Amino acid sequence: MSPAGRRTLVTGGAGFLGSHLCEALLQRGADVLCVDNFHTGTRANIAALLPHPRFELLEHDVSVPLDVDVDRIFNLACPASPVHYQHDPVQTTKTCVQGAIHMLALAKARGARILQASTSEVYGDPEVHPQPESYWGRVNPIGMRSCYNEGKRCAETLFFDYRRQHDLEIKVVRIFNTYGPRMYPDDGRVVSNFIVQALRGEDITLYGDGSQTRSFCYVDDLIEALLASMDTPAAFTGPVNVGNPAELSMRELAELVLRLSGSRSRIVHQPLPADDPKLRRPDIGLAQRELGWNPKVPLEKGLLATIAYFRALLNFG
Ligand code: NAD
Ligand code: UDP
């Protein structure tokens, strides 16, 4: 279904994923309302969209109620990098939980369909590998990552309770590690850290022994999955995993970034942060079946595009 003629709200629309999503929605003919408090997002991310006649920006914090006329809501507002979400953990929980409550109330008031950007962090440090949606996870409720993990888990609960109590049309999408242009050079996530360090000739900071794994999805693939999820039949609620199942260790990632960037940086070890998951790879069978979706961009190609982005950003052209 084309979103043409619809007014679509994207919370967190000035962020890394949100700005790509706003752009894709405009390309598909939607009217887009971007709501953001610029906690981690930037005006630069959406600068090219501001003159667009179907794009509107509202500076607003989702932990405060909002009443706007929309018929679709993508709820992405929330800092995503561990450094950012741990900086003000109480605010992170408020954004996750109160943000979900307010956006669900808005969806109920307007009869809007609403999608939640959930996360692989709901699985915590998993004992089941790869992670299917049926796995309930292994999450520390009182650790450094809990503000985000438990906040996102509670948001999922709220989405399903609104579905049961108020018959809302919900979509819960569990996003696995995603990377690409518009990541921030200083947000502490591994892909941006390694690329920026490699380009600057600084040491590559590998946490722990580097044997922990992740599976990285290129941003363009992820946006396709979010759009496809929103357009699934009303009966499909998720939760659905979206990510690229190609898994590698952080040591392999460091070596790959060094090779692709032509850098001579050294790899140095730093302590592994608390509760850092040892393994992560999505089981995407459900997304393949229900969304008709598969990630298309191989890691090397996506990393080359991301390296080119950071080269230009950091003036290493
Ligand atoms: P990001 O930090 O770039 O974007 C988050 C955006 O939300 C920013 O623009 C920020 O200013 C805004 N925001 C934060 N708190 C807000 C509030 N209280 N009110 C209004 N706006 C607020 O992060 P991202 O990588 O673009 O992530 C977007 C969403 O996707 C998040 O919900 C995140 O949990 C989820 N997600 C991302 C990844 C990933 O790998 N990028 C993985 C799993 C889940
Ligand atoms: N990591 C690392 N060096 C860095 C940043 C992160 O080795 O400079 C590791 C981190 O310990 C984790 C993995 O890379 O095991 C992914 O970290 P990120 O913060 O990107 O995402 P998340 O842990 O939330 O998946």
Side-chain angles (χ1 to χ4, degrees):
M1 192 199 309
S2 153
R6 295 179 180 281
R7 190 165 189 240
T8 302
L9 168 60
V10 180
T11 76
F16 162 49
L17 297 182
S19 59
H20 284 278
L21 178 61
C22 288
E23 205 175 315
L25 285 163
L26 288 172
Q27 277 163 11
R28 283 162 174 77
D31 289 346
V32 176
L33 173 60
C34 164
V35 163
D36 206 294
N37 70 349
F38 295 104
H39 175 53
T40 51
T42 64
R43 285 177 194 278
N45 281 344
I46 49 166
L49 309 182
L50 286 171
H52 198 293
R54 283 185 282 103
F55 183 78
E56 220 182 312
L57 168 67
L58 176 64
E59 190 165 346
H60 176 83
D61 186 323
V62 294
S63 60
V64 175
L66 176 69
D67 184 22
V68 285
D69 186 16
V70 291
D71 52 18
R72 291 192 163 201
I73 304 170
F74 288 88
N75 188 34
L76 270 64
C78 184
S81 102
V83 170
H84 284 154
Y85 69 65
Q86 290 169 23
H87 174 69
D88 185 350
V90 172
Q91 181 55 41
T92 299
T93 302
K94 281 186 185 168
T95 295
C96 289
V97 178
Q98 294 181 340
I101 290 172
H102 297 317
M103 291 310 111
L104 286 160
L106 174 62
K108 179 171 174 256
R110 298 288 175 175
R113 181 176 274 210
I114 181 166
L115 179 148
Q116 168 68 356
S118 191
T119 168
S120 51
E121 292 282 333
V122 300
Y123 301 121
D125 191 6
E127 290 155 312
V128 174
H129 192 71
Q131 293 79 56
E133 291 84 354
S134 55
Y135 178 49
W136 289 355
R138 188 166 76 110
V139 175
N140 176 357
I142 57 168
M144 300 294 284
R145 298 173 87 102
S146 311
C147 57
Y148 182 76
N149 299 3
E150 297 289 23
K152 289 283 187 178
R153 285 169 67 95
C154 185
E156 287 201 6
T157 308
L158 285 160
F159 268 67
F160 278 86
D161 283 334
Y162 262 80
R163 166 79 173 181
R164 285 183 285 260
Q165 259 179 276
H166 303 296
D167 204 24
L168 234 61
E169 281 190 27
I170 63 155
K171 313 285 173 193
V172 172
V173 181
R174 292 182 179 157
I175 303 171
F176 283 63
N177 297 65
T178 302
Y179 70 100
R182 296 199 201 130
M183 293 187 90
Y184 316 118
D186 58 352
D187 82 356
R189 284 189 264 195
V190 69
V191 172
S192 42
N193 267 13
F194 284 1
I195 292 177
V196 169
Q197 290 162 345
L199 292 177
R200 287 182 173 152
E202 295 169 355
D203 290 347
I204 305 283
T205 53
L206 186 59
Y207 300 161
D209 64 5
S211 64
Q212 71 274 28
T213 68
R214 295 292 186 273
S215 310
F216 295 98
C217 184
Y218 190 63
V219 60
D220 291 357
D221 283 333
L222 194 278
I223 298 302
E224 287 298 324
L226 292 183
L227 293 168
S229 302
M230 184 58 111
D231 283 345
T232 50
F236 183 74
T237 57
V240 59
N241 289 338
V242 297
N244 190 325
E247 180 183 10
L248 79 172
S249 71
M250 294 309 95
R251 169 163 288 282
E252 288 170 319
L253 178 70
E255 286 163 357
L256 185 57
V257 167
L258 285 175
R259 178 165 67 77
L260 296 178
S261 61
S263 168
R264 300 179 64 178
S265 289
R266 290 181 316 152
I267 296 176
V268 298
H269 289 272
Q270 288 191 0
L272 191 67
D275 296 333
D276 199 282
K278 285 179 273 308
L279 301 170
R280 183 178 294 152
R281 170 156 58 105
D283 176 333
I284 60 165
L286 184 65
Q288 288 169 324
R289 287 193 302 281
E290 296 292 332
L291 314 182
W293 174 85
N294 258 307
K296 296 191 193 84
V297 182
L299 184 59
E300 286 207 17
K301 189 174 171 203
L303 283 177
L304 283 170
T306 312
I307 290 167
Y309 167 78
F310 278 114
R311 243 188 238 288
L313 187 77
L314 304 172
N315 291 319
F316 286 119

